[in-house]
Amino acid sequence: MQQIVPEEQLSDQQMINVIQYQNQMTQTNPNIQTFRTNQINVYKSLRNRSVFKLAFSLLELFLYFLALCLLPKPCANTTLSEFFILAIIVNTIEAFRILYLLLIIYNDLIEVYQSEGENRLPYPEFSFANTKYLIDAISDYHSSYKFIKYLMIVLNIVVFMFGQVQIYRNLYGECEIGEPEFNFTWGVALTFLILKYITIGIPTLIVVIYLLVLPFAYCINLSNLQKRNTGASPENLNKLKIEMVGQERISEDNECVICLQEFVGGEEFVRLGCHEFHVFHKACISDWLKARSECPKCRQAVRFN
């Protein structure tokens, strides 16, 4: 019988130790396992949402295609046919984007399950606590998906703008709304318009209002800060009531927070009206108030009276 070389036996033993250590770490480190389980749950949540969006996108695609095929002859001479064709193209790209995302999720989950003993995740520098952060991680790692995602944003806005123009143009034309034979056509078109107003129109309006209001809010806030940080005039500084430090403590810490020095008997100090313990050396608070007329402790405006 061939005798095992001690060096080979030691090497095998080392491998066994490494495997046992990895298994022990997997079993005895609940934090890692909990973190891993949370990430997998986020993946599954995103997968379920994507499947629902794909089904909804395919339903929209079917309705647009059906509306185009059943378009009455009077409507065929209008731009509604162009609108439905453009909507079909955009929805096809959207369905492809979702399928691509589902393929990425599927491959990532396979990698997660295969690397269970290593506790390794596809995007280690991302700690995604919800699906939004996971989508951001996928976009950063997969540039093609990122390109399609932003392309869809642009295309959806274009179709939304083009669609509402064409729909409003044809409301009372050859394909007049309210006629029984045009009910299905207008039903699909107006449903599209309502959905786009909810998903694109309202968020866009909020962003526009925010961008318009933000400069005014910034200017008002800046003006208030400038007024608040305006230094006190010499006339107001002369109105400060000056007291002398005696034997008793004049505050809780008996210290001026500006120079961080304790008060000594015989020194001049000023007690501000915002709080009885907001006391400072006369020289310190004078220099402070020349720069900004607020209390160094509570930041309230100083009243000179």
Side-chain angles (χ1 to χ4, degrees):
M1 180 181 294
Q2 185 179 2
Q3 187 175 4
I4 299 177
V5 180
E7 294 179 357
E8 294 181 355
Q9 187 178 9
L10 182 61
S11 177
D12 292 339
Q13 187 62 42
Q14 287 178 341
M15 291 180 61
I16 292 173
N17 291 339
V18 170
I19 294 173
Q20 289 178 346
Y21 174 75
Q22 290 177 346
N23 293 335
Q24 183 180 5
M25 287 297 295
T26 303
Q27 296 174 359
T28 59
N29 197 333
N31 293 330
I32 295 178
Q33 286 298 98
T34 302
F35 174 78
R36 179 187 179 84
T37 303
N38 290 337
Q39 306 304 287
I40 293 175
N41 290 336
V42 173
Y43 265 107
K44 291 181 178 179
S45 175
L46 180 59
R47 180 192 61 190
N48 296 338
R49 286 178 53 186
S50 300
V51 169
F52 174 78
K53 287 183 178 180
L54 178 62
F56 187 78
S57 180
L58 292 176
L59 178 62
E60 278 188 300
L61 187 61
F62 172 75
L63 289 176
Y64 297 148
F65 185 77
L66 192 62
L68 181 63
C69 293
L70 301 179
L71 199 65
K73 289 184 179 180
C75 298
N77 300 325
T78 65
T79 53
L80 285 177
S81 59
E82 300 173 4
F83 157 69
F84 284 122
I85 291 173
L86 187 59
I88 288 172
I89 294 173
V90 172
N91 265 73
T92 303
I93 300 175
E94 174 67 11
F96 172 77
R97 180 192 70 83
I98 300 174
L99 282 172
Y100 187 25
L101 177 61
L102 286 171
L103 180 62
I104 293 173
I105 294 172
Y106 176 75
N107 291 331
D108 286 349
L109 283 174
I110 290 178
E111 182 180 348
V112 169
Y113 288 126
Q114 288 179 347
S115 61
E116 185 174 359
E118 304 175 12
N119 287 315
R120 182 166 52 86
L121 293 169
Y123 316 111
E125 61 268 34
F126 287 89
S127 176
F128 34 88
N130 53 46
T131 54
K132 178 185 179 301
Y133 294 119
L134 178 56
I135 284 288
D136 293 340
I138 291 175
S139 299
D140 288 342
Y141 267 76
H142 301 273
S143 56
S144 54
Y145 173 79
K146 188 175 186 178
F147 171 76
I148 297 174
K149 184 177 76 170
Y150 287 116
L151 176 65
M152 282 307 306
I153 295 175
V154 175
L155 289 177
N156 275 317
I157 294 175
V158 170
V159 174
F160 171 63
M161 300 301 295
F162 176 79
Q164 65 176 338
V165 170
Q166 300 309 319
I167 288 173
Y168 289 133
R169 273 181 55 184
N170 293 281
L171 279 175
Y172 302 103
E174 297 181 14
C175 188
E176 185 175 359
I177 189 171
E179 297 293 330
E181 60 177 322
F182 307 144
N183 282 346
F184 180 74
T185 300
W186 280 112
V188 175
L190 293 177
T191 301
F192 164 86
L193 198 60
I194 292 171
L195 290 176
K196 294 305 177 184
Y197 269 121
I198 294 173
T199 57
I200 297 177
I202 295 177
T204 303
L205 182 63
I206 293 174
V207 171
V208 171
I209 293 175
Y210 176 78
L211 293 177
L212 291 175
V213 171
L214 185 62
F216 293 102
Y218 175 77
C219 293
I220 293 173
N221 188 43
L222 183 62
S223 176
N224 291 334
L225 287 175
Q226 289 176 347
K227 291 179 180 179
R228 182 179 178 182
N229 294 335
T230 302
S233 63
E235 291 79 8
N236 285 331
L237 291 177
N238 292 331
K239 296 179 182 178
L240 294 174
K241 184 179 179 181
I242 302 173
E243 303 178 41
M244 299 291 292
V245 179
Q247 299 294 328
E248 299 180 356
R249 297 169 63 88
I250 58 176
S251 66
E252 291 179 337
D253 50 10
N254 202 44
E255 181 182 88
C256 174
V257 297
I258 300 177
C259 64
L260 302 180
Q261 299 293 323
E262 289 189 2
F263 291 104
V264 181
E267 289 182 327
E268 294 181 334
F269 73 93
V270 174
R271 189 189 308 273
L272 298 182
C274 49
H275 195 277
E276 61 176 335
F277 288 155
H278 291 186
V279 292
F280 314 93
H281 289 119
K282 177 191 172 185
C284 296
I285 195 61
S286 297
D287 292 340
W288 175 277
L289 294 178
K290 288 177 184 177
R292 54 180 63 193
S293 302
E294 61 182 18
C295 174
K297 280 191 173 182
C298 63
R299 302 298 180 180
Q300 292 187 27
V302 176
R303 296 179 180 179
F304 299 94
N305 48 30

